[in-house]
Each structure stands twice: as C-alpha cells, then as structure tokens.
Amino acid sequence: MHRSLVKPSGPPSQDEMNITFGSQDDAEKMKELISKTVEVKGFSWLNDVTSVIPAYDYMQVLLESELINSWNFAIAIMADGSSTQQLRAALEKALGNNLLLVSFYVLDQYQNPHYVTLKPSGRLWDLCILDHGSVKTSADVQQLAIQYPHREHATVPGPLFRCLIVHVEETKSAAMVMYVHHIVQDAGSTRLFYEDLELALSHPLKELRPHVDYKAWADSYIALRHSPAATTSVNYHAKRLSDLHLHKDGLYPPAAVPRQAITEDPDGLDYGFDAPGLLDLKKAHPKIIAAVVLKAAMALVNVNRIGYTHALFNNFEAVRTRFPFIPVSLEALKPEAYEAANVNGPVMEGVCNLIEVPRSESAISLLNRMQAEQKELTKHAHAPLRRVIEALNANGTGAGDMMVETHRTQFLTWIPGFLGEYERIRVAQIAIRCAAGLVFVAGLGGPTATTYMISMRWDVANYSREKTQVFVDDVKFAVLWLTAKENWDAPISKFLEELNKTQETKVDVDAIQ
C-alpha cells in the first residue's frame, strides 16, 4: 500500500536531534560533523539537509567489519527509445522519490553510523548524474559497468550513488551505468527505484507515488531493538549458535592471506541449469522451496570439500513483510501502517547457517529439516545483530566474531525474479567486485520456474575462477540429486559417494591454482 508522507522542508529540529542523540551536547556535535561532511561537496545543514537516519544493526556490523566496503554495484541499464535528456529528467525524478540513494554517511562521536539525506537540487543532481558522452554499442555500456572508470564514486562519506549517462550510437538511444554503495539499497528498494524510473520515462508528466519513508522504518527499528520481541529473536540466534566457535573447520574456502576482490574480467561467473525435479518435489513436498534446495546443495558440497560434520555460510533475508518488533496490539490498530514492502531503503538482514550434515540422514529429511529451520531464520532475521554478537561473545569464546567471519567466507543472496522486467528500461549488466570467499547470487526462472540462475564471485587471493567453476558444477550435481524422486529416501552418504566418483575424472579441486 502506498502512503502520502509529508516531506521535511528543512533539517531536523533541535528537539528531534536531541531525541535522536540523547542530549543537546551530542546533538550539536553531530550537527557539526554533518555540516563539515556535506560542506566539502558544497551543501549546508540549513539549506540542504532534510533528515538524519540511524543505520540499523546489520548495516552497522557490515560497516564496522568493513565487509561492505567492497560491495558497490555497477549496473548498466539500457533505455532504448529514450534520449539522454529524457533519461536524465526521469532519473532526477526517480531519485527525488528515493533520496536515501544519494545520501551521505556520517559517524557520530561514538562511531555509530547515520545517513544524511539532502533536498533535491540542481547541485545534487549535477554531482550525482554525469554526462559520459557516446559509446558505439550496448556491449560497450556493459563493459562500462564491468570496468567502472571512477572507483572513487559512491564511497564514504558520499554521496553514495553516482550515475554515468551515455548515448548509444548502435540504438540511437540513451543508457546509464549507476554505481551505488550497498548500504543505501537492497534488492527490494532497487526494484522500487526501477519502477519509479520506468514510470518517469513512460509517463513523464505523472507524479510518482511516494514510498514508505525509510526514516520511519529505521527510527522504529532503533526504538524497538531492545524490545521483548527483539530480545526473543536475539535469544533464538544466541542459543542456536552458542557453539559456533567450535566449528572453525567448517569454514570454506579458507583464507591463508587477507581476502581480495576480483580484479580480472569478467568480474564473476554466470551459471544456469534446469532442475525439472523441482516440480515433483513441490508436488510431493510443497513446503520445500527452491532456495532451500540450493542451500542444502551448498551444504553438501561444502562438507564434501572439507570432510567436516557441519557446513557454515550466511544468507541474506529480504524480510520485507512488516516493520520488525511492533507489538501485536499496536499493529492491530492500523495494520497497513507497518507494511514494509514499499520502504525505500535497505531492510535486508544476514543470517548465519550452521548446518549439521549426518551422513546417514536421508535427502528428504535433510530438506525438510532445513526448510523448518529456514522458517525460523526468516522469522528471527531482524534480530539486532550487534546484540547477537555481544551475546555470543559474552562468555569469551569468540562465537560472535566467528559469525562475522562466516559472513566474510561464504554467503548466498537469493533474489526471486531477480530485479524484474520493464518496458522502457532493461538491466543489461550487474557488476560487483566483493572481497568475500565465495558468493552465490541466485534466483529461479524459465517457463516452468525450474531454472536456477546463479552469478558467482570469489576471493582471488585464496580461490580462483577454476575452483569456483568446479564448486558450482558440484552444486548443480547436488541440486539434481536432491530433487530426483529416486534419491529422496537415500542417505547423504550415497550422494557423497556419487559426487566423489564424478570427481575422479576431474583435476583435484584443491590442486587447482
């Protein structure tokens, strides 16, 4: 549901700042820090700032650990049939409805991060939207994303979004390459932005419907992060992962040296395959979803690689249904007020998977067990991550730090339908060079929704394109094995035996450089 929201005409009041930062002294110090940050780019507190928004726990942890510093996206978008002038006008309009994208990032005196949004203005658009001249072909636009020429763009302190607009001689149309920091967007908010851009191009005179203000979601999260509901979710993860520190041998791929982002071209490895057995699985076991099948396959390949009892990796959760931690009695007064699907900023979370893989367990038992846990992981995904880490580290074992290291080592992003389909724009290339051990970005497509589409990234200092190819080949083998009806009652040991047989004809995966 869309809601009209009153947009602020100026910076937060003194009372608002005092409440946000706890005292007038701290509020004044933050105001000074913000002023110094934006003045470098020609903006001021009084004339340009509209809001100060606290970052929620997951973003705080990603920033503190520097995990997210290499997660900038370069996305090539074709706008066939539109001129560069039309694309720029539509882009300004869409960004004006999604101002968090072009925000700044400022740490307060206690090192807590905050977003600072600015009023739409010609100065802001000139800073964020750049004319990059002409290119010959659509392939040149894609290459511009793969080798984005200004790596200094969209870095802290901001603005955290930049965009190059080009004229494509081949199509006599416009295209753009947006370069954006992950702390200002997730898959859900990116879809909202694309929808606005599509509407601004197709109906330039039509007003865009406002989204749910990100500040409302963030303020609510911060206010309720110590609520009973939040504590329940923290306790769930703290209990589940209490012995995580004992499973360091489950991390794959290991890192002998600091992890390093891909520098070669292409920036990743794209992979796809059909898994027709998903149809039989869905018919017989409708609760088991395709994403869980992929997670189970990843777990099997991980334990095959390391010969360990458990598999460890993280996965992203979209959690865009409701505002987190709202008391049921309060939500009942106006349920539509707490819908989160239309929040115009990132609400994603990362959850740590510690998956035991008994060799005697049947395939269908593993899938059902992981599906049941997935339901709980999603239910408790919004648990304030700083609190979870503190709880896990409280006894001195370092289990909380291990949770962060797991995220740095391997993670899965599941994007249903990827980023949507549009008439006036087309996403032609998504490039990201993240310094993480092994990254799966996956979704499902095809005429019968049985085709896995996977984009891989890896740590070039400790892993390789060749190892990644073999790993995802084995994941495909695992998905096909798990979804084959004749294997549902077979023990996991049988799968591992069959996988080892397929590997006998391959080069030793651990010997590949």
Side-chain angles (χ1 to χ4, degrees):
M1 179 177 178
H2 294 274
R3 286 171 282 173
S4 295
L5 299 169
V6 177
K7 294 185 178 181
S9 57
S13 68
Q14 188 64 54
D15 283 346
E16 289 176 296
M17 291 291 286
N18 293 349
I19 291 170
T20 299
F21 295 98
S23 72
Q24 185 167 339
D25 284 347
D26 284 351
E28 287 296 333
K29 289 175 182 175
M30 186 58 173
K31 180 179 173 181
E32 183 179 347
L33 288 170
I34 292 171
S35 296
K36 288 180 179 179
T37 300
V38 300
E39 283 170 3
V40 172
K41 299 295 184 180
F43 302 101
S44 71
W45 169 268
L46 185 61
N47 295 321
D48 298 290
V49 172
T50 60
S51 64
V52 179
I53 305 170
Y56 65 108
D57 279 55
Y58 183 52
M59 285 300 174
Q60 291 174 6
V61 171
L62 290 179
L63 288 162
E64 289 168 357
S65 63
E66 299 185 352
L67 271 170
I68 204 167
N69 287 355
S70 63
W71 292 5
N72 278 29
F73 286 89
I75 305 175
I77 297 175
M78 312 305 296
D80 292 349
S82 297
S83 67
T84 55
Q85 293 85 359
Q86 289 170 327
L87 179 56
R88 182 184 176 101
L91 187 55
E92 291 179 3
K93 192 172 182 179
L95 287 171
N97 207 35
N98 298 271
L99 285 173
L100 191 79
L101 284 173
V102 289
S103 65
F104 284 72
Y105 154 98
V106 182
L107 292 173
D108 65 22
Q109 62 174 324
Y110 304 108
Q111 300 301 298
N112 296 312
H114 299 263
Y115 303 97
V116 178
T117 62
L118 306 182
K119 294 177 185 176
S121 67
R123 180 187 295 275
L124 182 59
W125 302 146
D126 288 344
L127 179 61
C128 295
I129 305 171
L130 306 174
D131 181 1
H132 198 68
S134 297
V135 298
K136 291 186 179 298
T137 68
S138 300
D140 292 331
V141 181
Q142 292 175 277
Q143 190 59 32
L144 195 59
I146 293 171
Q147 282 289 356
Y148 189 79
H150 301 288
R151 295 290 170 178
E152 74 280 6
H153 284 176
T155 54
V156 172
L160 299 171
F161 173 103
R162 298 291 182 93
C163 185
L164 307 180
I165 291 183
V166 297
H167 173 74
V168 185
E169 295 174 8
E170 175 187 57
T171 61
K172 297 181 175 60
S173 299
M176 60 184 254
V177 177
M178 52 185 274
Y179 194 61
V180 57
H181 202 297
H182 209 333
I183 63 172
V184 293
Q185 53 89 31
D186 61 13
S189 66
T190 299
R191 283 196 191 99
L192 297 179
F193 171 66
Y194 289 165
E195 290 167 7
D196 286 345
L197 184 60
E198 166 80 10
L199 186 60
L201 279 170
S202 59
H203 298 87
L205 299 180
K206 189 173 183 178
E207 287 296 314
L208 299 177
R209 291 183 295 181
H211 302 298
V212 176
D213 188 0
Y214 186 68
K215 181 172 172 56
W217 184 91
D219 283 349
S220 174
Y221 186 103
I222 297 301
L224 295 173
R225 64 183 298 275
H226 282 283
S227 66
T231 299
T232 298
S233 290
V234 169
N235 291 342
Y236 165 78
H237 289 290
K239 180 180 179 180
R240 182 177 64 86
L241 300 172
S242 60
D243 64 347
L244 183 63
H245 59 287
L246 301 178
H247 297 286
K248 291 181 180 179
D249 290 342
L251 289 174
Y252 185 87
V257 296
R259 299 199 183 276
Q260 180 181 328
I262 296 171
T263 54
E264 63 191 65
D265 291 331
D267 65 308
L269 189 158
D270 293 332
Y271 194 88
F273 64 91
D274 193 48
L278 281 173
L279 297 177
D280 288 335
L281 183 65
K282 186 175 182 179
K283 185 176 180 180
H285 302 275
K287 292 183 179 180
I288 298 174
I289 61 175
V292 165
V293 174
L294 180 60
K295 285 177 65 173
M298 291 169 60
L300 293 181
V301 177
N302 271 285
V303 298
N304 168 264
R305 287 292 186 275
I306 55 183
Y308 192 60
T309 56
H310 293 66
L312 276 73
F313 55 84
N314 271 41
N315 74 268
F316 282 126
E317 294 285 336
V319 281
R320 276 191 167 263
T321 53
R322 318 292 298 171
F323 278 39
F325 318 135
I326 304 294
V328 174
S329 57
L330 178 60
E331 188 172 351
L333 297 177
K334 195 174 183 181
E336 68 275 12
Y338 302 104
E339 294 173 2
N342 197 34
V343 173
N344 61 354
V347 303
M348 65 180 183
E349 298 283 0
V351 296
C352 182
N353 291 260
L354 175 61
I355 304 166
E356 186 177 8
V357 186
R359 279 31 174 193
S360 61
E361 186 174 22
S362 69
I364 200 65
S365 174
L366 173 69
L367 289 171
N368 277 317
R369 176 165 59 86
M370 288 187 63
Q371 182 62 55
E373 182 174 58
Q374 180 60 56
K375 184 178 179 181
E376 293 301 303
L377 289 175
T378 300
K379 177 181 177 181
H380 296 289
H382 270 312
L385 190 54
R386 270 183 163 176
R387 291 188 60 197
V388 175
I389 292 170
E390 288 168 2
L392 289 171
N393 281 341
N395 59 5
T397 62
D401 297 332
M402 176 78 172
M403 189 180 184
V404 177
E405 189 57 34
T406 301
H407 202 347
R408 196 188 308 274
T409 302
Q410 187 179 144
F411 66 85
L412 164 67
T413 299
W414 180 264
I415 307 178
F418 273 77
L419 293 173
E421 296 183 1
Y422 310 92
E423 293 182 4
R424 297 297 299 272
I425 61 173
R426 175 173 58 87
V427 178
Q429 183 73 44
I430 301 177
I432 180 173
R433 300 176 183 272
C434 50
L438 197 56
V439 180
F440 280 73
V441 180
L444 207 61
T448 57
T450 56
T451 301
Y452 281 92
M453 299 173 291
I454 303 173
S455 187
M456 304 288 300
R457 301 295 185 275
W458 59 91
D459 154 29
V460 296
N462 298 281
Y463 217 57
S464 67
R465 183 179 299 274
E466 292 75 21
K467 285 185 177 182
T468 302
Q469 180 69 62
V470 176
F471 193 97
V472 75
D473 283 341
D474 289 351
V475 167
K476 171 187 174 181
F477 183 83
V479 167
L480 298 181
W481 192 89
L482 287 166
T483 55
K485 188 184 301 185
E486 62 270 21
N487 294 326
W488 292 347
D489 293 323
I492 295 305
S493 59
K494 182 182 178 183
F495 163 79
L496 295 175
E497 290 171 5
E498 292 183 16
L499 180 60
N500 287 334
K501 287 180 181 178
T502 69
Q503 292 173 344
E504 289 175 1
T505 59
K506 300 177 183 177
V507 177
D508 179 3
V509 294
D510 290 321
I512 296 174
Q513 299 298 317

